[in-house]
Amino acid sequence: MSQPIASNIAHIQGEIARLCACCGRQSSQVMLLAVSKTVNAEGVLAAVQAGLRGFGENYVQEGVEKMQALAALQPNLAAQLQWHLIGPLQSNKTRVVAEHFDWVHTIDRLKTAQRLSAQRPENKAPLQVLLQINVDGAASKSGIAPAEALDLALAVQALPHLRLRGLMSMPDAREDAAQMQALHAQVRDVLLRINEHPAFAAQPLDVLSMGMSGDMAPAIAAGSTLLRVGTAIFGQRAYPT
Ligand SMILES: *Cc1c(COP(=O)(O)O)cnc(C)c1O
């Protein structure tokens, strides 16, 4: 099990370097976040041993149980890990998230952000957060419309125990990589527009969480700084039935 995980990671890192070189970017600007939903603590440990430190979870309870399992298995390594919540966040789960996670990618309303800020323990660093942008415009999807992003960014930036870092998006897969790149580029442009506001002059937003196993190339070309990759690292997910 761990051998394929290590070699998958090495392969993806080679791909990131190649794709960055193609568009004149430094691969050090693009973080590889391992999406470990449905993967057990041993699988996460294999990715840690291959050098990764950031892990993305969709479900709060699963994530917290995994953090605790890793802390029991390998306390020294576990202390170095950064946990990102990348799935939707319901307001009745904000306290657990504020207490355990390091990042939240899916902020799409002020109320959730306010609760996270109020519930973040004083002894922890600010929670790093991203606003989720719904760039497809499908009403059924989570995330805010691009036109709402600046107002929400200004309000979230003012919260004391959060640190707004940037934007996240997850457009539906497209056959056409150019179309996919155009969707990612819209999100990048939203970030650039937010950064033009004087409130962001001192600390511009610097994170674009865009791109998964199937769209690394268009995401990197559009300026992604954080790829959320599950399947290409851990293989097909087996959902419990
Ligand atoms: C599952 C998931 C991913 C990873 O998708 P893969 O196609 O397995 O790389 C990335 N982002 C989010 C929000 C996800 O839910």
Side-chain angles (χ1 to χ4, degrees), residues 2 11 13 29 34 39 75 80 88 90-91 98 115 121 124 127 133 153 172 175-177 204 224 237:
S2 65
H11 174 76
Q13 284 167 334
Q29 299 171 339
V39 175
Q80 300 170 28
Q90 293 155 358
S91 51
R115 290 175 63 103
K124 292 209 163 203
L127 185 65
I133 306 294
D172 291 337
E175 287 290 327
D176 180 4
S224 171
R237 283 181 285 275

Side-chain angles (χ1 to χ4, degrees), residues 41 51 60 65 75 82 87-88 92 98 110 113 120-121 139 148 164 169 176 186 208 214 217:
V60 174
E65 281 167 15
Q82 298 274 307
N92 63 347
L110 182 56
R120 183 69 168 171
E148 299 167 14
L164 178 63
S169 73
D176 180 4
Q186 279 183 46
L208 280 168

Side-chain angles (χ1 to χ4, degrees), residues 102-105 120 125-130 162-165:
D102 302 292
W103 287 70
V104 175
H105 290 218
R120 183 69 168 171
L127 185 65
Q128 312 286 303
V129 300
L130 306 176
L162 304 187
R163 168 97 198 278
L164 178 63
R165 295 294 300 275

Side-chain angles (χ1 to χ4, degrees), residues 58-62 64 85 88-101 104 112 115-116 119:
N58 287 62
Y59 308 104
V60 174
Q61 197 54 38
E62 180 191 344
V64 170
L85 183 72
L89 173 54
Q90 293 155 358
S91 51
N92 63 347
K93 299 270 175 64
T94 51
R95 181 174 299 280
V96 185
V97 172
E99 288 174 352
H100 290 93
F101 281 81
V104 175
T112 312
R115 290 175 63 103
L116 288 169
Q119 293 166 342

Side-chain angles (χ1 to χ4, degrees), residues 33-37 56-59 85-88 105-106 132 168-170 209 211-216 227-237 239:
L33 180 74
V35 173
S36 46
K37 61 184 174 211
E57 290 286 338
N58 287 62
Y59 308 104
L85 183 72
I86 63 171
H105 290 218
T106 50
Q132 182 171 1
M168 176 272 208
S169 73
M170 191 169 59
S209 168
M212 318 196 287
S213 297
D215 62 337
M216 292 189 357
L227 298 165
R228 306 180 309 267
V229 178
T231 311
I233 293 176
F234 298 110
Q236 287 296 328
R237 283 181 285 275
Y239 287 96

